[in-house]
Amino acid sequence: MNDREALVSELVGDRADTWDLTGLIPAEPLRKLGEAGLLCGELPEQYGGLGLSSLDNGRFTAHVGSLCSSLRSVMTSQGMAAWTIQRLGSAQQRADHLPRLTSGTLAAVGFSEPGAGSDLSAISTEIRPDGDDVVVDGRKVWVTAAHYAHLLVIFGRYGDGAAAVLVPADAPGVTVERVADPMGCRAAGHAGIRLDSVRLPRGHVLGGAGAALTMLVTAALSYGRMSVAWGCVGILRACLAAASRHAKSREQFGRPLAQHQLIGGHLADLLVAEQTATRVCEHASHRWDEGSPDMVTAAVLAKHVGATQAAAAAATAVQVLASAGASDGHVVARAYRDAKLMEIIEGSNELCRLMLAQHALSVSG
Ligand code: FAD
């Protein structure tokens, strides 16, 4: 275990289940991880970041995901915000905002709206120039980490195209309201955001304003997919470890569960799932680190494999533990709820399959 992993292991300890049950990560671990730059580890050192490769950050993300998917979700949002500012921001915007993300400021990213889920072209939030300012009006839903965030990266319509704007969470006209009782990742701080005539200096609009929405969101979503995919590797590792431990120690019919072949089959399935997701994530991170043209597709593939394997494996792990894992405070019960949500976010299973189908058609000539 490296120093980063040791720090997060110490900060989470055995508290992930309590955070999940209470729906809250305390301020202290978030502050410590934020100030250490660990919530967005790929940011370059010039902005106070760690300058990790996608592969190293991915491995760290898997470690966090194996401990607590809520914390990993907060990390995904922070990384997505940082990546968006890095990709779209001017030199001045990067210099102004990125060092804040490595010194304790928490951020969240809002795309989704009541009428715009899978189909982001239906976004209706408006970012309207008004003299030296812009005025933002709209509503975002299910924004991960918004409850904790000081800074919101909001995507909206801008003239004939789209833009991303940096909105301080305490700006007049911003209301953040938590999602009540989310099914999983319960401490990830999901919230809806209302933006009522929020007036901001024009300098808060990131570069690329007026471009097509898909161009602007692809960078953020690709980062998010990589992070979720590696987080799913963590869920898989937690499930494999819990199921193996239980199968060795629990006896039925006079021998450990592990010696019953059908349970051995479940353990094999868990190992295959964990190894498959790990290899696909490693492939995607290598593509990302090389800046390869197929990194976007590799991220979709990693996210799809990770999420589907984690959701199936978490169900398998609950099956192996049976009643021992069937209450909310258990790691496999938490994994079961958390993993299901991974099949919905950053491109649902269906949307990922549609994108992969398009890729299949393009490579088949
Ligand atoms: P819908 O778009 O209504 O889809 C419903 C179902 O129809 C899904 O199964 C979908 O796959 C399927 N479907 C839709 N269109 C098609 C199609 N063309 N072909 C086939 N099937 C289709 N949003 C943010 O902006 N920021 C966040 O940080 C964020 N975090 C989230 C965290 C969690 C835990 C959850 C649950 C959601 C989060 N979201 C966030 C919102 C998330 O991005 C959306 O839930 C997701 O895009 C799906 O949109 P929807 O829920 O409106 O479902």
Side-chain angles (χ1 to χ4, degrees):
M1 195 183 290
N2 62 34
D3 289 351
R4 294 188 285 278
E5 293 173 354
L7 174 66
V8 81
S9 293
E10 187 194 320
L11 289 171
V12 176
D14 60 0
R15 291 176 282 278
D17 288 321
T18 307
W19 296 351
D20 185 62
L21 292 173
T22 57
L24 204 65
I25 304 175
E28 179 77 351
L30 291 178
R31 189 183 56 75
K32 283 194 171 157
L33 291 169
E35 286 176 356
L38 287 168
L39 296 176
C40 48
E42 287 177 50
L43 261 194
E45 288 169 10
Q46 72 182 108
Y47 304 117
L50 304 173
L52 297 182
S53 65
S54 171
L55 187 61
D56 286 342
N57 194 41
R59 287 176 172 150
F60 176 60
T61 305
H63 180 69
V64 178
S66 73
L67 301 170
C68 176
S69 282
S70 288
L71 178 59
R72 195 277 308 147
S73 300
V74 171
M75 191 175 155
T76 297
S77 294
Q78 184 88 352
M80 224 173 8
W83 185 248
T84 304
I85 298 171
Q86 208 182 325
R87 290 303 296 261
L88 301 181
S90 63
Q92 189 62 52
Q93 288 171 326
R94 291 197 297 271
D96 287 346
H97 298 286
L98 292 176
R100 297 172 57 204
L101 299 187
T102 53
S103 51
T105 293
L106 297 175
V109 184
F111 315 96
S112 308
E113 299 183 359
S118 303
D119 179 11
L120 288 179
S121 70
I123 277 181
S124 64
T125 292
E126 202 188 356
I127 305 166
R128 186 170 39 85
D130 185 20
D132 290 341
D133 297 337
V134 286
V135 178
V136 188
D137 276 289
R139 198 173 151 205
K140 297 291 174 185
V141 293
W142 274 97
V143 179
T144 302
H147 172 70
Y148 303 113
H150 310 99
L151 184 69
L152 307 166
V153 181
I154 298 291
F155 285 84
R157 301 201 159 281
Y158 185 90
D160 292 338
V165 62
L166 303 179
V167 181
D170 61 359
V174 177
T175 311
V176 177
E177 191 174 338
R178 285 199 75 167
V179 172
D181 305 322
M183 169 185 159
C185 300
R186 289 175 176 169
H190 306 113
I193 302 169
R194 296 192 75 95
L195 302 136
D196 294 313
S197 302
V198 180
R199 182 171 286 277
L200 301 161
R202 269 213 205 203
H204 283 228
V205 178
L206 294 177
L213 181 76
T214 40
M215 261 188 61
L216 298 182
V217 297
T218 300
L221 284 176
S222 291
Y223 181 95
R225 285 172 187 143
M226 292 295 297
S227 183
V228 167
W230 277 108
C232 287
V233 168
I235 293 177
L236 285 158
R237 289 184 185 158
C239 287
L240 176 59
S244 302
R245 259 194 321 270
H246 187 74
K248 279 193 277 191
S249 61
R250 166 87 170 159
E251 290 195 4
Q252 286 293 281
F253 299 97
R255 52 194 167 128
L257 291 175
Q259 288 180 20
H260 298 290
Q261 286 186 341
L262 291 177
I263 294 294
H266 286 324
L267 297 178
D269 290 346
L270 284 165
L271 180 68
V272 169
E274 185 270 325
Q275 285 291 303
T276 305
T278 302
R279 297 289 93 81
V280 178
C281 282
E282 285 171 352
H283 165 79
S285 276
H286 284 307
R287 289 289 179 267
W288 192 275
D289 287 332
E290 289 157 5
S292 159
D294 75 350
M295 65 190 242
V296 172
T297 307
V300 174
L301 184 64
K303 190 272 164 180
H304 187 53
V305 170
T308 52
Q309 295 290 341
T316 301
V318 173
Q319 195 67 24
V320 171
L321 277 97
S323 62
S327 45
D328 258 356
H330 197 284
V331 63
V332 295
R334 180 158 50 86
Y336 183 72
R337 291 184 283 101
D338 294 345
K340 183 60 211 168
L341 297 186
M342 299 306 109
E343 296 196 303
I344 297 172
I345 61 169
E346 315 298 353
S348 62
N349 282 0
E350 290 76 14
L351 269 284
C352 285
R353 292 178 74 199
L354 289 173
M355 288 183 270
L356 293 170
Q358 266 181 7
H359 180 70
L361 290 170
S362 75
V363 294
S364 64

